[in-house]
Amino acid sequence: MKTDKINRNYAAVYQQNRKAKADKTAFTGSNVSKQITELLPQKKSIKIMEKMKWFDGEHGRILLTALGTGAIAPLFIAWNPYVKPKPGATEEEKKDLENTKKYTAMRQPISAVLQIIFQLSLLAPLYKGLDAIFNNPNNSKFIWKELDKSALQDDKYVERQVIKDLKNSKQTFTDKNAYKEEVERLKKAKIDSQIKQVADKLQTSGQIHINGNAIDNKVTAEIFNDTVNSYIKKTKKLRIDSKGQDFYAHRAEVLINNKKEITDVLKHIPDKDSEIADYLKQKLETTKNEDVKEIYKEIIDYPENLRASRSQRTIARISKIESMCDGSFTKKKYLQAMRNDYDMLTDVIENMEKLKIKDVSKSTPEMLKEQVAKLSKLCTYDAEKHSRIFGNTAVFHTDSSKLLKKIYIDITKGYKGVVNKKYRAFKEFAGITIGLFITTPITCTALNWVYPRFMEIFFPGLTGNQKAKEKAKLAALQKNGGEK
């Protein structure tokens, strides 16, 4: 089944990243997510959804709301099945009701257009103004310190500053892509520099300092605990459960028992990526072992640009399996080695759990530094013994001093994430408040003026019908008033 094939491919990619060499460790696991995405049949849909992330911003939400108001709401108003003519209504009355519904429905798209005009014209400058206050150290010192973003500025704010600086520098670029790459490079460098400065201060003082103010120890302790939780979550992914152990034990047996055939075939794959699939399809015709065929099929199912590296990893995997069994493979010994790994990782997870600060309200800078040092020691491993388990992960490292700095950077990033969430909530509240007390009244006033004139110009038939009804109602009221 296709699902089984994807699962097997996932297992292979996962194992590749889990077993990488320690000397290549850079605190970031290999970009496994992109590889997995390429293996999924829904990869095109996923890429389209990634491009639609723009709608997550303020402008995107305004446009989506307006789209619903202007394109969807009118359909339910004009063809509302619950609004029906009264029993025994004449054809003229039925037609009159239909025109009334259509006239009312047309109000929605006009309202949507006005909504876009006024909200974007008011909210966009509002949000930029708020960014200038909360991200600028000269202004942010007057606001609540836990919303002060001046030391860890918004990514978009940094990008605008970088673009402004490039314009002022009058630097020229060969093409648009070169310009975009330079913007991204400078943006990343500035963001990384800000995080490093705050993290370095945190490492020496045990406190997060923003614009001259120390953040409450309780807040920092909570973020430290969140950081430990994220490490625990990533460490759990390194464990292989009993079902996975059975899969890998069987795969190891296939690789070892067919070592010569598999090695000879995969060592001689074509240099061109486009030719590898055809080469392996030919080998499928000659090999008799169904398990070996399955390995070749998995490589063929990989994206074209990943088949060569997948072949190389399969060859390297054979040596690693033998190493885990001290040069003499048996399925029993291999299973026991994986179970030992599982138990060791479980112990690490339990010890991580113990390092969390239990009463954050009583946390001190010294306590934080002590717990970070313990976490750094716990996550430092021996390259000769455990590189196949911890190598190339985002949590563990062979150098405790580098790991210590990395933990403080992670805490700093965690704090930035917390502030971003609070700030986003504040911006949304400000936007809603402006909308209720300023944008909505202006939009309604404009709508009441524009709507009848628009309808009279473009839909005179519906407008005439509505005017006739209003005139009849007025005449009836005057008549009733006269009788009184």
Side-chain angles (χ1 to χ4, degrees), residues 329-376:
F329 171 82
T330 66
K331 191 173 182 179
K332 183 178 179 181
K333 286 172 68 175
Y334 188 66
L335 273 170
Q336 187 58 52
M338 286 192 289
R339 287 167 186 155
N340 292 341
D341 291 348
Y342 187 95
D343 292 340
M344 182 183 66
L345 288 166
T346 299
D347 288 340
V348 171
I349 291 168
E350 290 175 355
N351 287 326
M352 282 183 179
E353 191 69 40
K354 294 175 184 177
L355 290 178
K356 290 195 290 187
I357 298 172
K358 300 300 183 287
D359 189 350
V360 294
S361 62
K362 295 181 180 179
S363 175
T364 63
E366 292 72 24
M367 184 187 299
L368 178 77
K369 292 170 69 175
E370 182 181 352
Q371 296 307 98
V372 171
K374 289 178 180 178
L375 180 61
S376 172

Side-chain angles (χ1 to χ4, degrees), residues 7 19 40 92 108 136 142 157 241 243 283 286 301 311 341 375 393 397 434 445:
N7 287 337
K19 304 294 185 182
L40 297 174
E92 184 178 351
Q108 302 306 308
N136 188 312
F142 300 109
Y157 181 84
D241 60 19
K243 186 176 180 181
K283 298 302 177 182
T286 57
D301 289 337
S311 301
D341 291 348
L375 180 61
T393 65
H397 199 271
I434 294 294
T445 302

Side-chain angles (χ1 to χ4, degrees), residues 16 54 115 185 197 201 208 214 248 399:
Q16 162 223 343
W54 178 83
Q115 182 181 349
R185 186 187 71 79
Q197 287 179 19
K201 183 73 172 178
I208 294 174
Y248 287 120
D399 189 327

Side-chain angles (χ1 to χ4, degrees), residues 460-482:
L462 294 177
T463 304
N465 174 72
Q466 195 67 16
K467 282 185 175 181
K469 285 181 65 179
E470 291 174 358
K471 189 174 181 180
K473 285 181 181 179
L474 181 61
L477 287 172
Q478 289 174 343
K479 182 179 178 182
N480 291 336

Side-chain angles (χ1 to χ4, degrees), residues 42-171:
Q42 305 90 350
K43 64 180 180 180
K44 290 184 178 179
S45 301
I46 293 172
K47 289 178 180 178
I48 292 172
M49 291 173 69
E50 284 290 323
K51 291 180 180 179
M52 292 181 69
K53 278 186 176 179
W54 178 83
F55 283 100
D56 187 45
E58 292 86 2
H59 292 182
R61 285 196 291 275
I62 291 171
L63 292 176
L64 285 175
T65 302
L67 178 65
T69 301
I72 299 173
L75 301 177
F76 291 94
I77 296 173
W79 287 278
N80 188 341
Y82 298 104
V83 179
K84 300 178 181 179
K86 62 183 179 181
T90 64
E91 288 300 320
E92 184 178 351
E93 288 174 328
K94 291 179 181 178
K95 184 67 176 176
D96 179 55
L97 179 63
E98 183 181 339
N99 287 338
T100 300
K101 289 197 292 183
K102 290 180 180 178
Y103 183 86
T104 306
M106 284 302 300
R107 189 180 180 90
Q108 302 306 308
I110 299 171
S111 174
V113 172
L114 293 174
Q115 182 181 349
I116 292 173
I117 292 172
F118 289 113
Q119 285 197 352
L120 289 183
S121 62
L122 289 175
L123 292 182
L126 169 68
Y127 290 145
K128 282 190 177 181
L130 290 174
D131 286 346
I133 294 172
F134 286 82
N135 288 274
N136 188 312
N138 296 324
N139 302 323
S140 63
K141 61 185 177 183
F142 300 109
I143 62 175
W144 184 35
K145 64 182 180 181
E146 288 190 14
L147 275 180
D148 187 340
K149 301 172 69 64
S150 59
L152 299 168
Q153 296 170 329
D154 271 334
D155 292 0
K156 288 184 180 179
Y157 181 84
V158 172
E159 185 175 334
R160 288 198 294 268
Q161 297 303 308
V162 166
I163 291 172
K164 183 179 178 181
D165 292 342
L166 281 177
K167 285 181 179 178
N168 293 336
S169 70
K170 297 181 180 180
Q171 186 177 346

Side-chain angles (χ1 to χ4, degrees), residues 236-285:
K236 284 180 178 179
K237 291 181 179 179
L238 297 176
R239 295 190 304 185
I240 302 175
D241 60 19
S242 57
K243 186 176 180 181
Q245 290 172 9
D246 291 338
F247 170 83
Y248 287 120
H250 173 69
R251 174 55 56 88
E253 194 172 37
V254 172
L255 290 171
I256 296 299
N257 291 343
N258 300 278
K259 175 181 175 180
K260 186 177 185 309
E261 178 185 352
I262 294 172
T263 303
D264 289 344
V265 168
L266 298 184
K267 270 188 176 179
H268 296 91
I269 58 170
D271 294 331
K272 291 184 179 180
D273 291 339
S274 58
E275 297 176 359
I276 294 176
D278 290 336
Y279 168 79
L280 291 176
K281 286 176 183 177
Q282 292 175 3
K283 298 302 177 182
L284 285 174
E285 301 298 326

